[in-house]
Amino acid sequence: MLVTTTNDLAGHRIVRHLGMVRGVTVRSRNVISDAIGGVQSMIGGRVGAYVKLAEAARQEAYDELVAHARDMGANAILAMRYDANEIMPGVTEVLAYGTAVVVEPA
């Protein structure tokens, strides 16, 4: 699956637009991450425990996005974006979305 944040794909031409696709996950912090993150935040700098959690959530949403596009028959996703919202304290929704298309080499 070719995935790009641009509205076109260099070296390819769009044969068919299939529509919007998305992948979503909802993740919560856990007691251990909160404890480690709390200590790291007091020291300052990068809070590795939360970076790990954010990366895992984004990867899961991305994988769901690709699966959705594949199920629609796409071989590429254009204009891919991420969005995140806090549903409640400690619980975050991460959304990956874009436009599913079929492309072929130009």
Side-chain angles (χ1 to χ4, degrees):
M1 181 73 59
L2 301 169
V3 181
T4 182
T5 58
T6 59
N7 293 329
D8 54 8
L9 189 58
H12 293 79
R13 102 183 143 82
I14 299 169
V15 176
R16 193 172 59 217
H17 284 83
L18 300 174
M20 187 163 128
V21 286
R22 72 204 168 289
V24 66
T25 189
V26 177
R27 290 290 188 113
S28 66
R29 300 185 313 235
N30 62 47
V31 175
I32 295 169
S33 291
D34 277 349
I36 293 168
V39 170
Q40 288 177 331
S41 67
M42 286 188 282
I43 296 168
R46 184 175 186 196
V47 184
Y50 293 143
V51 170
K52 215 177 211 184
L53 181 64
E55 284 296 331
R58 283 181 180 224
Q59 187 63 54
E60 191 172 309
Y62 179 87
D63 292 344
E64 292 287 329
L65 168 74
V66 170
H68 187 198
R70 191 173 287 122
D71 289 348
M72 290 179 69
N75 65 355
I77 300 169
L78 304 180
M80 187 270 178
R81 303 285 188 270
Y82 285 107
D83 193 13
N85 297 295
E86 188 174 48
I87 293 173
M88 59 185 278
V91 178
T92 303
E93 168 204 34
V94 176
L95 171 67
Y97 63 95
T99 302
V101 295
V102 176
V103 297
E104 62 184 31

